[in-house]
């Protein structure tokens, strides 16, 4: 079908992902086992953790004409209907409590009333996670992950699509409103056991990209990372003035990783993101328990649309493959540098294995560890591997 073909050739927003049972990405095999072993808690960050979140909260820069960030519960959930799997309306007065009561049902759909004009204050949700990250055989490092989720009412397709992609996509939907809700747009500041920053992780479609501090990227003096929101797709990139293009892929597959590292041609399923920051967006920082529906909702948090890839996303926890859910794996899987010969050599060696991603993580962990140690000692003068 044309819709299936289009879904296969266009880079959409980060929520565009192949579904599991029932068509929802949250039901992909592996998520159930992971969250059974790592159940999200109900506790809110304590005073010390809230201070960390405030200390490192990012700054978001938007392009001209961007609709801006919204508040998930105040601006989005409060203006829509909740529907059962059969389409029957559960409620047209949806509250956070109601959404949370239905968060474990993958058949439930929240449909935002797009026609509503809502004036609200932008809200970014912050959370704190801790994990012992394996960086070398039998060596682990205790790290803190401060994650900040920006929220957008809808997500469009990457701005850097070429002509035939634009024409084809335009037949099937609005390029600016490809699907409702974009909340995988996350910034994560990684701290060591002394709460000193180590790296920055940015969600870029269904990939995490890791920027080691001192290796071509430094936090501003105030400690707050500055990020640019891409035109249409809302993906996040380190702040830089002027119009810039960024290679982008839907998922980190074999050909996609070769392309990102500069070892292969552009995959059929790809298009560039474009950033052109013009203004900073103010927002209010809030916290939710990790068990909240914002993170854990298994159904669709946006209208179901006829074409694959245009349904709303599930909760923000479902941002990548189940095998990459441990934050330490995301940290290392996202540590690659375009044009780096060592990274390229290790990727090509890993691609010879069926479990190539886990093999690549194993190979890159030691490199990340060595470069981190070098950066701590020598800063930007470090001779990075």
């Amino acid at each position: 079908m044309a819709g299936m073909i289009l879904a296969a050739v266009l880079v959409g927003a980060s929520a565009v992902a192949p579904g599991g049972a029932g068509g929802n990405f949250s039901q992909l095999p592996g998520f159930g086992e992971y969250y059974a072993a790592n159940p999200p808690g109900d506790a809110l960050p304590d005073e010390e953790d809230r201070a960390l979140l405030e200390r490192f909260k990012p700054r978001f820069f938007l392009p001209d004409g961007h609709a801006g960030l919204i508040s998930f519960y105040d601006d989005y959930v409060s203006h829509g209907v909740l529907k059962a799997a059969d389409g029957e309306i559960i409620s047209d007065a949806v509250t956070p409590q109601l959404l949370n009561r239905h968060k474990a049902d993958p058949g439930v759909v929240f449909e935002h009333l797009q026609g509503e004009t809502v004036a609200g204050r932008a809200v970014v949700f912050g959370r704190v996670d801790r994990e012992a990250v394996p960086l070398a055989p039998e060596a682990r490092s205790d790290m803190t992950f401060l994650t900040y989720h920006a929220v957008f009412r809808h997500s469009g397709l990457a701005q850097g699509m070429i002509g035939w992609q634009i024409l084809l996509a335009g037949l099937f939907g609005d390029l600016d409103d490809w699907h409702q809700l974009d909340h995988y747009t996350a910034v994560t500041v990684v701290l060591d056991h002394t709460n000193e920053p180590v790296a920055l992780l940015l969600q870029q479609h269904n990939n995490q990209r890791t920027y080691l501090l001192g290796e071509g990227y430094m936090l501003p003096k105030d400690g707050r990372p500055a990020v640019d929101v891409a035109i249409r797709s809302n993906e996040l990139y380190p702040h830089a003035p002027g119009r810039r293009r960024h290679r982008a892929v839907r998922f980190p597959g074999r050909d996609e990783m070769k392309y990102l590292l500069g070892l292969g041609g552009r995959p059929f399923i790809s298009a560039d993101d474009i950033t052109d920051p013009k203004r900073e967006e103010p927002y209010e920082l809030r916290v939710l328990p990790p068990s909240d529906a914002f993170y854990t909702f298994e159904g669709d948090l946006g209208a179901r649309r006829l074409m694959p890839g245009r349904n709303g996303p599930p909760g923000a926890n479902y941002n990548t493959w189940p095998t990459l859910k441990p934050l330490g794996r995301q940290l290392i899987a996202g540590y690659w540098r375009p044009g780096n010969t060592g990274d390229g050599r290790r990727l090509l060696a890993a691609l010879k294995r069926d479990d190539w991603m886990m093999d690549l993580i194993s190979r890159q962990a030691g490199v990340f560890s060595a470069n981190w140690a070098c950066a701590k000692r020598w800063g930007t003068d470090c001779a990075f591997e």
Side-chain angles (χ1 to χ4, degrees):
M1 294 190 302
M4 291 295 290
I5 294 171
L6 183 60
V9 300
L10 295 176
V11 173
S14 56
V16 178
N24 191 295
F25 188 56
S26 70
Q27 301 306 293
L28 201 68
F31 279 128
E33 293 81 356
Y34 176 80
Y35 286 114
N38 302 276
D42 298 324
L44 292 170
D46 60 21
E47 188 173 321
E48 182 177 346
D49 282 348
R50 290 191 187 217
L52 284 177
L53 287 170
E54 285 288 343
R55 175 183 168 191
F56 292 103
K57 67 180 184 181
R59 301 168 66 194
F60 295 93
F61 290 85
L62 303 178
D64 273 344
H66 197 288
L69 283 68
I70 64 169
S71 170
F72 176 72
Y73 280 117
D74 300 327
D75 297 339
Y76 187 79
V77 169
S78 63
H79 295 81
V81 296
L82 196 65
K83 297 181 179 180
D86 60 4
E88 182 178 351
I89 293 179
I90 297 171
S91 175
D92 59 1
V94 187
T95 63
Q97 294 75 20
L98 180 64
L99 195 71
N100 273 275
R101 283 203 293 273
H102 293 273
K103 64 185 179 182
D105 186 345
V108 170
V109 179
F110 172 80
E111 184 173 337
H112 181 60
L113 297 181
Q114 191 74 2
E116 292 277 352
T117 300
V118 184
R121 184 176 181 180
V123 171
V124 170
F125 289 125
R127 63 179 288 172
V128 181
D129 296 280
R130 291 183 170 84
E131 190 173 301
V133 179
L135 294 178
E138 301 181 1
R140 305 175 75 85
S141 180
D142 293 330
M143 292 188 173
T144 297
F145 295 79
L146 309 177
T147 300
Y148 305 83
H149 284 270
V151 183
F152 303 92
R153 197 179 307 279
H154 54 73
S155 179
L157 298 177
Q159 177 74 5
M161 293 190 302
I162 58 178
W164 70 266
Q165 293 176 322
I166 296 172
L167 291 173
L168 184 58
L171 297 174
F172 294 94
D174 185 338
L175 302 188
D176 295 307
D177 181 10
W178 197 249
H179 65 76
Q180 291 188 335
L181 186 63
D182 201 357
H183 66 336
Y184 293 160
T185 38
V187 178
T188 300
V189 180
V190 185
L191 310 178
D192 66 13
H193 69 284
T194 67
N195 287 336
E196 287 302 307
V198 174
L200 182 72
L201 272 71
L202 297 180
Q203 181 89 27
Q204 296 166 355
H205 299 279
N206 294 282
N207 313 311
Q208 290 277 9
R209 179 74 189 277
T210 299
Y211 301 87
L212 177 64
L213 301 187
E215 188 181 15
Y217 178 81
M218 294 294 295
L219 288 178
K221 290 183 179 180
D222 63 3
R224 299 179 59 192
V227 295
D228 293 339
V229 176
I231 300 171
R232 280 209 308 238
S233 68
N234 302 325
E235 306 306 326
L236 304 178
Y237 295 89
H239 178 58
R243 189 177 181 91
R244 295 174 184 256
R245 299 183 75 95
H246 309 269
R247 289 189 176 190
V249 297
R250 291 179 71 235
F251 277 89
R254 293 171 180 264
D255 291 340
E256 287 76 9
M257 287 301 300
K258 289 171 66 176
Y259 169 65
L260 291 173
L261 268 70
L263 300 176
R266 180 189 294 274
F268 197 46
I269 313 173
S270 67
D272 292 345
D273 276 322
I274 296 178
T275 54
D276 191 7
K278 298 298 183 182
R279 62 182 174 89
E280 182 178 355
E281 177 86 339
Y283 64 87
E284 176 187 349
L285 181 65
R286 295 182 189 173
V287 293
L288 295 169
S291 60
D292 188 87
F294 175 82
Y295 298 113
T296 62
F297 197 81
E298 295 186 28
D300 295 331
L301 285 171
R304 285 183 176 164
R305 294 173 173 172
L306 292 178
M307 215 186 92
R310 298 202 63 203
N311 289 353
N317 278 359
Y318 302 100
N319 68 320
T320 189
W321 299 116
T323 54
L324 293 181
K325 277 311 301 176
L327 288 165
R329 290 183 184 175
Q330 293 183 49
L331 174 69
I332 303 303
Y335 183 63
W336 46 267
R337 297 149 297 173
N340 182 281
T341 55
D343 288 353
R345 182 177 65 251
R346 286 182 287 273
L347 173 64
L348 293 177
L351 289 177
K352 297 176 182 178
R353 298 176 59 95
D354 290 337
D355 58 345
W356 67 272
M357 178 57 80
M358 296 305 298
D359 186 78
L360 179 62
I361 290 172
S362 177
R363 294 172 186 270
Q364 289 293 94
V367 178
F368 178 88
S369 181
N371 286 344
W372 173 26
C374 187
K376 284 197 298 184
R377 183 174 183 183
W378 300 107
T380 55
D381 294 327
C382 175
F384 295 101
E385 292 187 21

